[in-house]
Amino acid sequence: MTNENEQPEVVITVRENGPYRVQGPVRIVDIDGNEYDLSARKAVSLCRCGGSTTKPFCDGTHSKIGFEAAERAVAMED
Ligand code: FES
């Protein structure tokens, strides 16, 4: 999937009471700038509950700890 500039599109989907699902060509690096190997993945899920033992990736802990979050898009004010 590409955008209007023919650039590969990155889509981040906020999962209901779960992680951020990232699809598209992204690089994820740690605090030292080392890149995670995402070559075997078509998409990644990033933890937003804080409970994963494999941060920054989701390991499913969110469902065990009952993580709840608002995830609907709302208009932002300036
Ligand atoms: S969002 Fe899945 S473990 Fe945190």
Side-chain angles (χ1 to χ4, degrees), residues 18-19 47-50 52 58-62:
C47 177
R48 70 176 172 128
C49 76
S52 176
C58 170
D59 67 356
T61 297
H62 61 271

Side-chain angles (χ1 to χ4, degrees), residues 15 17-20 45-65 67:
R15 303 294 300 267
N17 299 325
Y20 296 112
S45 294
L46 299 178
C47 177
R48 70 176 172 128
C49 76
S52 176
T53 59
T54 60
K55 293 182 191 79
F57 304 104
C58 170
D59 67 356
T61 297
H62 61 271
S63 61
K64 298 175 189 158
I65 64 175
F67 177 67

